[in-house]
Amino acid sequence: MTQTVGTIQIASLAKETCGHFKTGIPCPKGMWPAVTQFRLAANGILLTDAFIKTSQLWPDGSIKWLLCEGLIDLQHHSVSDEIVLTLEAVESDSPSINLVSPVNNNDEALSLSLSSGKTFIINKAKPFQFVTDKHLSSSFDIVDINPQSITPIAFSYALHCSNNEYSALIVEQKYEIRLGSDKKLIVETEASIFLSTGTVCAHLTMRNPSAASHPNGKWDLGDPNSIYLKECCISFKGKSLEPTLTLNSDVFSSSEHEELTLHQASSGFENWQSPVHVNQDNVNSLPFRGFKLYQPDHLLLSGDQAKPQIKISNSGSTFSIHVDKFWQNFPSSAHLTADSLNVSLLGSRHSENTELQPGEQKTRRISIAPFTIQSLQVVIDSAWLKNASVLPFLPSKSCEFDSLIKNGIGGSSSFYQKRLDIDEFGWRHFGELYADHEKALAPDEPFFVSHYNNQYDPIFGMLMQWLLSGDPRWFELADDLAKHVADIDVYHTSDDKPEYSGGLFWHTDHYVQAYTASHRTYSKHQPSGVYDDHAGGGGPGGQHCYTNGLTLHHLLTGYTPSRDAALSITQWVTNYYEGDGTLLGALLALKNSETPGLKNVKTGKYPLDRGTGNYIQALLDRFELLGNFSDVEMVGHIIRNTISTSDRFELLSDVENAWFYTVLLQAVCRFITLKLQLQQYDEDYQYASKSIVHYASWMAENEYAYLDKPEILEFPSQTWSGQDLRKICILRFVASFLDEATKSTAIAKAEALEKIVVDRLSSNVESVSTRVLCLIMQNSNFMAYQNASEFVKNSDFKENIPLSNLKHNSSTPAKYLFKHVKRFSWGRERSQLVKRFPQFQKWLGKP
């Protein structure tokens, strides 16, 4: 049976002859076994340059998510067309046993026979080194640096088929490039190569894996472990390439005696000299506005934003070379000669050196094709998405907050406009959200630089809005932000202390400019004592941990860096609460056992705060990605040791220090929903359900809108109204668990809060600030919470197990210490010692 799963709207057809798509498709539980094969069609035309693979399974072994990637010939369609994607399960879609594999794999290279008869060779010794019939070659190069060594770390490939024919090859590579002394660069590539034409659609990641020094908890540019690069680029070489570059419909070519250079030095917008772009000296040194195109000693063209289309010819074939978001990721450049082409991926040889900070990375997408490619985005069919039921809290219809939410994509306060206000462009900044609410103490400052770093997970909120509305602007914002967060906001190292390594950096410090901290929270230039309990230093912390959006982005796009970032953050937050397993770590945990926000290892209790809620969400996301039930069991353990039916509520009256209990309870709602979905009405389900009923019953009688009592708040802003939405979500969810009298009280309280929040946010200019918009996007789906809990009516949670029989996991200091003594390893202890205390490295060596 043919299923309509999505649609594609063509953006333009000015020069594009082909479209490329890569999309995740959710599937209803039990509909298709894991071994099912499929055919994919666009407007009824079978797609031959495409493949489908299973990416996630339901616990019963049926398919939960598919990943579809392919090419569509746009010459069959017009701009007004809506391309309908349909999926059909077939009995067999495996290659015939008579087909010969197009792959020849040896130690040095992998050779791929294309349908045209040409051979595509992948050199294993160096990253992105491809050769087509020995006439055209590509490579990854670093300008002005001669690497000491290039060491392959990993290489893998997978053949995919469509319609009983081999259709594509996926190749993944990883390399360590030694740059001198103790500096190294990690380069990872993932490429889809379509056999019919040799089209390559790839992304390439460049990473500095070292740890930062962060003296006194400050993370400024200019770190001694930073790598300074002139330019990382993709180079193409061959005889008589005849490269051409098209800008603004003008075509420029390079002959044997001419060179062409395109240099995008800044965004080209009015605020291009914004202090967002300061270097390690706290100076914006961008050389000029926009781009310049020139030959040696001769300016050909200048302008604001360059959107180059580059082509090269070789042995009668023409290839289009495209690096995604060229001007947005400045400094960018392209250099063309008669027999070579270089397109930058990071930095430009014509700008100052680019500083890649320790633990920072950059990923760029590139395509090489015998035609011009348009990137296509599949919008999942709403009926299909609803039937798949993969997102328990996805709204099914619009709500009272829709008009406010739409301020995020249109008007003078949209996220697009805020990019322009602060010039949030350039390779390190593009995709980030401007934290405009942080200028509350300096409203007249023309450029108040503050970065949001995904607080309250706007990636997830934007993707939810996109799935609900189909508006491509929401996806564009979410996609740009996810790629920024995965590269820049996550600390990509394993060489720092475990409480920091792999973690997500906080948003930049409240109410002060970022200065040279960039996206790493604390700068030596920031003033101290800005507000009560101002930290002024530190690193990643469990209170700022968001994985939902990165996980959903990976499932919807197949984008590997988002998946890796979500898993990295989850491992980091696990280390943050559970320790690194060393005796040294255990002793430090015992010392800090009474510290707020940390797990008390003496008692085994977790803090009742958003950090624990974020930890639960991260573990559930890892379960979504990897399917390991130990993560679900761990969540049950955490809930048992955080809340209970015997809890008293006096502490919740301290709103400033207790408001985030609702973040935790929302995570418990998700856990309960998962257990219902799995039909696991076990002790963990019972405990979580009855504990949240205990809390919701108190909320129904005692909660209020925070701004009803502004005198007890340090900063009584509309952010508090945004947080009130969490209470509505919880009350709506738990209503199905309550007796009739308490249910009526809970629903009445939820309705009263909803009316108050709508009135306050609808009439206040703060509602369009970044933080409030993100809270609304995330938490206005309270009716979806109520719908998700309707499963409860079919369960017998009240009768299964008496709560008195459910035991906490007890812990004592002696038990905790003995567990670590049994697992003592000098190698692990030495490694963690020098990570925590780098001053010991001169005697004990590096980690």
Side-chain angles (χ1 to χ4, degrees):
M1 181 178 178
T2 301
Q3 306 284 348
T4 298
V5 294
T7 57
I8 298 172
Q9 191 71 47
I10 303 174
S12 69
L13 283 176
K15 295 184 180 298
E16 295 85 350
T17 59
C18 187
H20 170 258
F21 68 91
K22 187 175 183 180
T23 187
I25 300 294
C27 305
K29 182 181 179 181
M31 186 171 188
W32 289 315
V35 295
T36 305
Q37 303 296 315
F38 299 93
R39 288 178 182 165
L40 192 65
N43 285 352
I45 302 174
L46 203 62
L47 295 178
T48 55
D49 285 334
F51 65 90
I52 303 168
K53 68 175 184 178
T54 299
S55 56
Q56 308 293 140
L57 297 175
W58 289 97
D60 67 355
S62 62
I63 297 172
K64 187 173 186 179
W65 284 90
L66 293 169
L67 182 64
C68 307
E69 184 176 4
L71 304 174
I72 297 178
D73 186 352
L74 297 182
Q75 302 307 299
H76 296 301
H77 308 280
S78 65
V79 175
S80 60
D81 277 355
E82 183 178 72
I83 301 175
V84 178
L85 282 185
T86 54
L87 198 63
E88 181 184 11
V90 294
E91 290 186 4
S92 176
D93 197 31
S94 300
S96 166
I97 57 174
N98 296 322
L99 289 178
V100 178
S101 171
V103 174
N104 180 22
N105 186 25
N106 58 49
D107 292 340
E108 291 78 30
L110 184 147
S111 298
L112 178 64
S113 298
L114 303 179
S115 301
S116 62
K118 294 183 178 181
T119 303
F120 192 99
I121 301 172
I122 303 168
N123 187 346
K124 296 182 179 180
K126 295 181 180 179
F128 216 80
Q129 190 161 83
F130 302 154
V131 179
T132 304
D133 277 357
K134 300 182 181 180
H135 294 298
L136 176 67
S137 64
S138 68
S139 62
F140 170 81
D141 292 324
I142 305 174
V143 174
D144 290 347
I145 294 180
N146 187 20
Q148 287 186 342
S149 63
I150 301 177
T151 305
I153 298 175
F155 180 92
S156 64
Y157 72 93
L159 263 175
H160 294 282
C161 64
S162 178
N163 310 315
N164 297 313
E165 298 284 348
Y166 289 117
S167 58
L169 180 80
I170 308 298
V171 179
E172 297 183 30
Q173 298 169 278
K174 184 176 182 180
Y175 298 85
E176 178 183 284
I177 302 178
R178 287 281 174 179
L179 302 178
S181 64
D182 57 349
K183 301 293 177 67
K184 60 185 177 182
L185 185 72
I186 301 297
V187 176
E188 294 183 81
T189 70
E190 181 178 327
S192 300
I193 306 167
F194 293 93
L195 273 62
S196 62
T197 58
T199 296
V200 178
C201 296
H203 63 255
L204 188 149
T205 300
M206 299 147 284
R207 178 186 312 122
N208 179 353
S210 299
S213 58
H214 49 82
N216 300 314
K218 307 298 173 67
W219 298 75
D220 293 274
L221 294 169
D223 190 276
N225 290 324
S226 289
I227 297 173
Y228 295 90
L229 300 162
K230 180 57 71 174
E231 176 182 300
C232 294
C233 64
I234 294 295
S235 299
F236 299 86
K237 295 181 176 62
K239 292 183 178 180
S240 301
L241 290 183
E242 302 176 11
T244 62
L245 184 149
T246 303
L247 277 177
N248 302 334
S249 300
D250 294 324
V251 179
F252 302 88
S253 63
S254 176
S255 68
E256 185 176 350
H257 303 292
E258 294 177 327
E259 295 182 5
L260 280 176
T261 298
L262 173 65
H263 178 204
Q264 181 85 42
S266 64
S267 71
F269 291 113
E270 180 181 356
N271 296 326
W272 67 277
Q273 292 178 302
S274 160
V276 161
H277 307 298
V278 297
N279 58 21
Q280 67 186 73
D281 299 317
N282 201 29
V283 174
N284 180 341
S285 58
L286 300 181
F288 57 85
R289 176 173 175 169
F291 73 86
K292 292 182 179 180
L293 176 68
Y294 52 89
Q295 293 174 343
D297 304 319
H298 178 54
L299 180 66
L300 295 172
L301 183 68
S302 63
D304 294 329
Q305 295 87 37
K307 302 174 184 178
Q309 293 180 320
I310 303 173
K311 293 185 178 180
I312 54 179
S313 298
N314 182 259
S315 300
S317 299
T318 300
F319 294 89
S320 176
I321 312 298
H322 180 71
V323 175
D324 198 39
K325 306 285 175 96
F326 180 87
W327 70 263
Q328 294 92 329
N329 288 285
F330 73 83
S332 300
S333 59
H335 185 72
L336 296 77
T337 70
D339 56 6
S340 69
L341 166 68
N342 302 294
V343 185
S344 67
L345 301 174
L346 176 63
S348 168
R349 66 190 71 188
H350 308 290
S351 290
E352 291 184 346
N353 281 348
T354 291
E355 178 184 350
L356 190 64
Q357 297 178 101
E360 193 171 47
Q361 69 179 32
K362 185 62 181 179
T363 304
R364 299 298 300 277
R365 188 170 64 182
I366 183 171
S367 63
I368 308 167
F371 32 65
T372 305
I373 290 183
Q374 179 183 151
S375 181
L376 304 175
Q377 183 54 51
V378 177
V379 178
I380 298 173
D381 181 79
S382 58
W384 179 259
L385 178 64
K386 181 179 179 180
N387 188 42
S389 298
V390 292
L391 300 172
F393 303 131
L394 177 69
S396 58
K397 60 182 179 180
S398 59
C399 70
E400 297 89 334
F401 294 94
D402 277 5
S403 60
L404 286 174
I405 292 172
K406 286 178 181 176
N407 286 314
I409 53 174
S412 60
S413 299
S414 72
F415 293 119
Y416 289 104
Q417 180 59 46
K418 290 174 184 179
R419 283 180 179 176
L420 296 171
D421 291 342
I422 202 68
D423 207 61
E424 198 78 271
F425 299 100
W427 72 269
R428 179 177 281 132
H429 311 297
F430 179 65
E432 174 66 288
L433 301 185
Y434 173 36
D436 58 339
H437 51 277
E438 297 293 0
K439 65 183 298 184
L441 301 184
D444 299 324
E445 185 72 35
F447 293 111
F448 189 95
V449 178
S450 185
H451 301 300
Y452 197 59
N453 286 36
N454 204 42
Q455 187 182 31
Y456 305 133
D457 211 343
I459 300 173
F460 188 75
M462 290 167 175
L463 288 173
M464 294 278 274
Q465 294 304 315
W466 174 65
L467 291 170
L468 182 61
S469 69
D471 193 312
R473 292 174 293 179
W474 283 121
F475 179 82
E476 181 182 34
L477 286 168
D479 191 53
D480 292 342
L481 178 57
K483 290 172 179 176
H484 164 83
V485 170
D487 280 347
I488 307 301
D489 295 345
V490 176
Y491 189 27
H492 299 279
T493 187
S494 58
D495 289 343
D496 210 327
K497 61 179 72 175
E499 299 95 313
Y500 289 174
S501 291
L504 178 68
F505 285 105
W506 289 91
H507 48 79
T508 45
D509 201 3
H510 285 309
Y511 309 119
V512 294
Q513 301 247 28
Y515 296 106
T516 54
S518 186
H519 300 264
R520 295 193 166 189
T521 313
Y522 298 111
S523 169
K524 62 187 178 183
H525 298 289
Q526 293 168 343
S528 59
V530 180
Y531 51 89
D532 287 349
D533 301 321
H534 178 235
Q543 304 291 307
H544 188 78
C545 166
Y546 302 102
T547 56
N548 295 166
L550 290 166
T551 298
L552 183 57
H553 183 258
H554 168 73
L555 294 173
L556 289 168
T557 66
Y559 188 64
T560 305
S562 287
R563 174 185 182 272
D564 293 345
L567 294 176
S568 173
I569 294 171
T570 303
Q571 187 56 54
W572 154 71
V573 77
T574 301
N575 292 340
Y576 186 87
Y577 285 101
E578 309 301 339
D580 58 17
T582 64
L583 182 59
L584 173 63
L587 293 171
L588 289 171
L590 285 169
K591 174 180 176 292
N592 297 320
S593 58
E594 305 295 333
T595 302
L598 298 179
K599 178 182 177 181
N600 188 330
V601 298
K602 293 179 181 178
T603 63
K605 293 287 286 183
Y606 295 85
L608 180 64
D609 63 17
R610 59 180 168 175
T612 304
N614 292 336
Y615 181 19
I616 290 172
Q617 293 278 8
L619 289 171
L620 294 178
D621 282 331
R622 188 164 67 184
F623 172 71
E624 183 74 25
L625 292 170
L626 302 181
N628 193 330
F629 276 92
S630 64
D631 284 327
V632 181
E633 294 167 2
M634 186 63 190
V635 170
H637 165 82
I638 294 167
I639 293 172
R640 285 171 179 263
N641 288 278
T642 308
I643 58 175
S644 77
T645 56
S646 61
D647 287 347
R648 301 173 66 86
F649 300 105
E650 291 86 352
L651 291 177
L652 299 188
S653 62
D654 181 8
V655 174
E656 287 283 0
N657 294 305
W659 67 265
F660 33 56
Y661 82 94
T662 55
V663 179
L664 171 69
L665 293 186
Q666 281 180 301
V668 176
C669 290
R670 183 183 175 193
F671 174 74
I672 292 170
T673 301
L674 175 62
K675 299 294 278 188
L676 289 167
Q677 190 182 72
L678 297 173
Q679 297 183 323
Q680 292 182 350
Y681 308 128
D682 55 13
E683 294 184 6
D684 286 341
Y685 166 73
Q686 299 286 321
Y687 190 94
S689 301
K690 295 183 178 181
S691 295
I692 202 170
V693 163
H694 179 60
Y695 273 78
S697 300
W698 177 87
M699 292 173 67
E701 295 287 346
N702 299 281
E703 267 296 5
Y704 61 93
Y706 287 127
L707 288 180
D708 287 351
K709 300 179 182 179
E711 67 278 1
I712 68 173
L713 303 174
E714 183 179 0
F715 293 103
S717 70
Q718 289 302 323
T719 295
W720 292 104
S721 296
Q723 302 291 7
D724 283 329
L725 292 171
R726 300 183 187 276
K727 303 170 189 174
I728 305 172
C729 293
I730 295 161
L731 289 167
R732 290 282 185 184
F733 180 86
V734 179
S736 297
F737 291 77
L738 303 173
D739 58 62
E740 287 303 316
T742 312
K743 178 178 180 178
S744 297
T745 305
I747 294 296
K749 178 59 63 76
E751 291 174 345
L753 286 171
E754 181 182 342
K755 183 178 186 305
I756 292 171
V757 174
V758 169
D759 290 344
R760 286 178 176 165
L761 291 179
S762 298
S763 60
N764 196 291
V765 295
E766 285 185 52
S767 63
V768 296
S769 66
T770 294
R771 183 165 56 190
V772 177
L773 270 175
C774 291
L775 284 168
I776 300 173
M777 285 192 301
Q778 274 281 60
N779 299 290
S780 61
N781 58 335
F782 38 81
M783 292 308 299
Y785 273 77
Q786 182 167 322
N787 294 337
S789 68
E790 291 299 317
F791 290 107
V792 175
K793 294 179 179 178
N794 299 319
S795 69
D796 190 24
F797 97 95
K798 293 181 180 179
E799 305 298 333
N800 284 359
I801 301 172
L803 195 58
S804 58
N805 293 345
L806 302 179
K807 299 178 181 179
H808 290 275
N809 287 278
S810 59
S811 178
T812 66
K815 286 182 181 178
Y816 180 76
L817 206 56
F818 181 67
K819 179 177 68 174
H820 289 80
V821 169
K822 284 200 305 181
R823 297 186 301 188
F824 181 86
S825 161
W826 167 244
R828 287 194 303 131
E829 297 293 331
R830 185 205 66 81
S831 176
Q832 291 301 339
L833 179 65
V834 297
K835 288 178 182 179
R836 293 181 182 279
F837 308 103
Q839 60 268 32
F840 288 112
Q841 291 183 12
K842 57 184 175 181
W843 296 293
L844 299 177
K846 291 188 175 293

